[in-house]
Amino acid sequence: MIKDKYVFLMACVRILSGCIELGAAVLMLYFDKLATAVRINSSLGLVGPLVFIAVSSIGVIGLSARLPPARLALVIVGIVLVVLGTAPR
């Protein structure tokens, strides 16, 4: 039985992300060309950060009713710092 819908949504997004990753690996093997594999891999470079932002957003929404505003702001600042710290230059 699912106790927390936010945890369930977060897990579903991560499962979807894993399926996308596996699908990309299968496509790389199917096409069997280095240039195509690099193109597929570069597309996955967009998926990771988008999934991180989506899962984090779901978590923040779920925590918004449970955390005091100051702590919620710290969580949001932490997520923003992770995104900024990993952004390509």
Side-chain angles (χ1 to χ4, degrees):
M1 196 62 74
I2 298 168
K3 295 180 182 179
D4 192 335
K5 65 180 177 182
Y6 295 107
V7 173
F8 178 74
L9 286 172
M10 292 170 74
C12 285
V13 172
R14 284 293 176 186
I15 290 170
L16 177 63
S17 172
C19 291
I20 292 169
E21 295 273 348
L22 287 172
V26 170
L27 287 173
M28 287 179 190
L29 292 172
Y30 175 78
F31 289 113
D32 196 28
K33 293 185 178 168
L34 183 59
T36 304
V38 170
R39 280 191 214 112
I40 292 169
N41 189 59
S42 66
S43 299
L44 288 176
L46 293 173
V47 174
L50 292 176
V51 169
F52 172 74
I53 291 169
V55 171
S56 298
S57 298
I58 293 168
V60 167
I61 291 167
L63 288 173
S64 64
R66 300 176 192 164
L67 285 180
R71 282 200 169 177
L72 186 61
L74 285 174
V75 171
I76 293 170
V77 167
I79 293 168
V80 169
L81 288 174
V82 168
V83 171
L84 291 176
T86 57
R89 294 213 173 229

